[in-house]
Amino acid sequence: MGVVIKQSFWGTVISYIGVIVGYVNTLYVRVEYLDLGQIGLFTLITSNAMMVSPVSSLGMGSSFVKYFPAFQKGSNNQFFSFLFLITLGGNALVLFVCYLFKDAITLRYLVNAPSYVHYLSITAIIIVSNSFFDLFFSYSRSIKKVIFPSFLRDIFLRLGALLLVIGFAMDWWDFDGAVIGLGVNYSLAFLSLIAQLMIKHGFRFDFQFVFISKEWGLKLFQFGSYSMLLAGSFALINNATYDQVTTILGPEMNGIFTTCFFIAMIVEMPRRNMSKVVGPILSEEFEKQNMDEVGRLYKRGSITMSIIGMLLFIGIITNLQDLFDFIPKGSEFQMGFWIVIGVCATKLMLMISSFAGEIINFSHLYRYNLFFQVLAAIILVSMNHFLISIYGLNGAVISYFTAITIHIIVKLLFVKYHFRIHPFVRSHIPLFVIGAVITIGAYLFQPALNPILKITIRSILTTLFFVFLIYKFRISADINKIIHSTFERFLKINLPK
């Protein structure tokens, strides 16, 4: 268990450092040194690759994690090598199909984003590199060695993108060179992971496949297909809008959309790390058929994440205007004001919904998650097709908000119907009242200071008042325990209980 805790701790630290690097790059360096069209193209190249790579990997990474325990230590490399060849074939097939439809793909971008056509080969390189990176990441997860691959994914790739823009700003290379560097960046991450596994953990390819039976082949096909569709639909939800904004409105508008979308993503960040911790617990409770404990985790997770999400939501929306005043080209990014508001609201709803998706995923009804996710992807892409043309960037955020809201509601109702549990408690009502009061107060607080000072002072005061009210009204026992232990340990103050 010590190994798991250590890996989880450093994985969390790495992910937050990666977020900081991403914010510096997205909110300052890119907007300072790239024009809107270049920002849009830079993002589109990687987002399109992220959208396709789950398909080209054919779900083999998840398959290795699932079936890893079934093989003896000596045959794990044989099994992995077999999946490596399948992934290689999946990439070859996807690239071949893209080559056959090259004219149709070119035509798609010719009107509003003709410059992207020149970078299709870079997208292809990233597709291949990312699909193999995910496969070898799965190997690392299976042997419980995730610190280095997490560093590569969350920090190395973001630092690389940051350095590419800085190099462009310093005239070390032109924009084409920076784009080519994206392909190099992802390739280096993939090759570095292979090298680390070979040097430090003794990984070797072993292409003796006599142990792969037809029964195992069928299992791989079924689970691999499920994993591919699940990961593919998730990637579609996260990346399709970037592509549709570019093809309908142009790369300049995509530059605004991607930057504003990134601002709001921090609201959901705590949920990602909490789900990693809660996932194994839910799996264990389902194994025991202890639905009472599953229900308690569901409710505790909701109120805790609601508090954290509410604080982050308030911090972003009340400081948004000052943020636009502070960042380079802020007046242009103000076009994305409602993007930030809409995405923040969506992410807050995800926090409030707790672990509905995880509960479905760890139950015998796990396959329904695929149906719900594919449904959300279809709704998103369909609404984007119509609304972006009519309402521009606001149409894109309406589509995203609607698709994810439907996705959340369907999962909540599904869990309520099948497991007779829901995430809501009475404390949600005073929490929303506190959130509304703090939001109004923070919004009205407009001292005559420069934007960065206003953001700093407003954020400190908002946090202090919010935490005080949450503690005073005992909204969450878990949060109150954290506040108590913090005051006792670091300030040597014993708060009344």
Side-chain angles (χ1 to χ4, degrees):
M1 191 66 181
V3 174
V4 176
I5 293 172
K6 177 184 176 183
Q7 299 283 317
S8 299
F9 171 77
W10 285 110
T12 302
V13 171
I14 287 169
S15 68
Y16 278 104
I17 292 174
V19 169
I20 293 171
V21 174
Y23 261 77
V24 170
N25 189 17
T26 303
L27 297 184
Y28 183 77
V29 178
R30 281 191 186 183
V31 297
E32 175 70 23
Y33 298 113
L34 300 180
D35 62 40
L36 293 180
Q38 290 170 332
I39 294 171
L41 286 172
F42 221 65
T43 308
L44 182 66
I45 291 164
T46 53
S47 63
N48 276 0
M50 297 304 106
M51 194 160 49
V52 176
S53 64
V55 178
S56 64
S57 65
L58 300 178
M60 291 300 103
S62 298
S63 297
F64 183 75
V65 174
K66 180 174 178 62
Y67 295 117
F68 174 84
F71 292 89
Q72 298 297 322
K73 187 175 181 181
S75 61
N76 277 327
N77 285 352
Q78 292 180 348
F79 180 50
F80 183 85
S81 301
F82 179 68
L83 300 189
F84 176 85
L85 289 182
I86 294 176
T87 305
L88 186 64
N91 277 278
L93 179 62
V94 166
L95 294 181
F96 179 68
V97 170
C98 290
Y99 178 78
L100 288 179
F101 290 93
K102 183 179 179 181
D103 290 342
I105 295 172
T106 300
L107 187 62
R108 175 176 171 77
Y109 298 98
L110 207 54
V111 176
N112 288 319
S115 52
Y116 175 64
V117 176
H118 303 297
Y119 305 128
L120 289 173
S121 59
I122 305 301
T123 298
I125 291 171
I126 298 175
I127 289 171
V128 175
S129 299
N130 189 65
S131 62
F132 280 115
F133 182 88
D134 285 345
L135 181 65
F136 280 90
F137 200 133
S138 298
Y139 187 95
S140 298
R141 287 173 57 198
S142 298
I143 62 173
K144 298 179 177 62
K145 303 293 182 182
V146 299
I147 294 176
F148 184 69
S150 295
F151 164 79
L152 291 174
R153 182 191 61 192
D154 295 332
I155 297 179
F156 178 86
L157 287 173
R158 286 172 172 160
L159 276 177
L162 176 64
L163 291 173
L164 289 172
V165 178
I166 291 174
F168 170 73
M170 301 291 291
D171 289 326
W172 296 342
W173 43 69
D174 58 12
F175 184 71
D176 285 346
V179 172
I180 292 170
L182 281 175
V184 174
N185 194 27
Y186 278 85
S187 300
L188 284 176
F190 158 53
L191 294 173
S192 298
L193 182 54
I194 295 179
Q196 191 256 0
L197 288 172
M198 287 183 166
I199 295 169
K200 193 169 182 179
H201 303 296
F203 168 76
R204 295 292 183 272
F205 286 106
D206 187 345
F207 295 106
Q208 299 179 26
F209 307 135
V210 291
F211 69 97
I212 301 293
S213 64
K214 289 183 179 180
E215 180 185 358
W216 274 108
L218 181 60
K219 285 183 179 181
L220 280 175
F221 174 77
Q222 291 175 338
F223 188 78
S225 299
Y226 168 80
S227 299
M228 178 187 70
L229 291 172
L230 191 67
S233 57
F234 181 77
L236 199 64
I237 291 170
N238 287 333
N239 297 287
T241 303
Y242 302 147
D243 181 79
Q244 290 179 284
V245 167
T246 302
T247 55
I248 297 172
L249 303 177
E252 293 80 8
M253 293 297 101
N254 188 45
I256 294 173
F257 184 85
T258 55
T259 302
C260 292
F261 193 98
F262 189 82
I263 293 172
M265 282 181 63
I266 195 172
V267 174
E268 193 201 0
M269 274 297 298
R271 186 187 183 282
R272 300 181 185 182
N273 292 291
M274 289 183 69
S275 65
K276 293 176 184 177
V277 177
V278 170
I281 300 174
L282 285 173
S283 179
E284 183 179 339
E285 297 304 331
F286 267 109
E287 188 69 25
K288 298 176 183 176
Q289 297 184 342
N290 187 359
M291 291 308 300
D292 289 338
E293 184 59 28
V294 171
R296 280 193 288 271
L297 286 169
Y298 197 23
K299 292 178 185 294
R300 288 173 62 188
S302 177
I303 191 63
T304 300
M305 290 193 293
S306 296
I307 291 170
I308 299 170
M310 182 73 72
L311 180 58
L312 293 171
F313 175 82
I314 294 169
I316 291 175
I317 66 171
T318 58
N319 288 306
L320 186 56
Q321 185 57 56
D322 292 312
L323 180 63
F324 285 137
D325 291 338
F326 171 71
I327 64 174
K329 303 186 182 77
S331 59
E332 296 178 87
F333 286 106
Q334 278 189 319
M335 289 181 61
F337 181 88
W338 289 108
I339 296 172
V340 180
I341 301 298
V343 176
C344 275
T346 307
K347 298 301 184 182
L348 179 59
M349 284 193 295
L350 281 168
M351 295 283 278
I352 295 169
S353 69
S354 188
F355 305 113
E358 285 79 4
I359 289 172
I360 299 170
N361 202 43
F362 286 108
S363 75
H364 64 287
L365 301 171
Y366 69 93
R367 294 185 186 275
Y368 281 92
N369 252 343
L370 173 60
F371 172 74
F372 298 147
Q373 204 150 277
V374 170
L375 176 64
I378 292 172
I379 292 172
L380 175 66
V381 173
S382 302
M383 290 187 68
N384 276 339
H385 180 73
F386 293 104
L387 294 184
I388 293 175
S389 299
I390 300 172
Y391 299 111
L393 293 178
N394 290 338
V397 77
I398 291 170
S399 300
Y400 183 79
F401 180 85
T402 304
I404 303 302
T405 300
I406 293 172
H407 187 215
I408 292 169
I409 292 172
V410 168
K411 287 196 296 185
L412 289 173
L413 293 175
F414 183 87
V415 171
K416 180 67 172 69
Y417 178 79
H418 285 280
F419 304 109
R420 301 291 187 267
I421 56 177
H422 62 79
F424 306 111
V425 295
R426 289 181 180 179
S427 295
H428 276 101
I429 296 174
L431 171 62
F432 295 145
V433 173
I434 291 170
V437 170
I438 294 292
T439 300
I440 294 170
Y443 184 78
L444 293 175
F445 181 73
Q446 299 290 343
L449 301 169
N450 68 57
I452 194 65
L453 275 176
K454 285 171 68 176
I455 291 173
T456 302
I457 295 172
R458 186 187 291 115
S459 298
I460 292 173
L461 292 176
T462 298
T463 302
L464 289 174
F465 279 111
F466 184 82
V467 171
F468 171 76
L469 291 174
I470 292 300
Y471 174 80
K472 184 69 175 178
F473 289 95
R474 302 179 185 275
I475 304 299
S476 166
D478 291 324
I479 296 294
N480 273 29
K481 286 179 182 178
I482 293 172
I483 294 172
H484 272 285
S485 63
T486 301
F487 271 78
E488 289 174 3
R489 182 175 180 182
F490 297 104
L491 301 178
K492 307 303 179 184
I493 297 174
N494 293 316
L495 296 174
K497 295 184 179 180

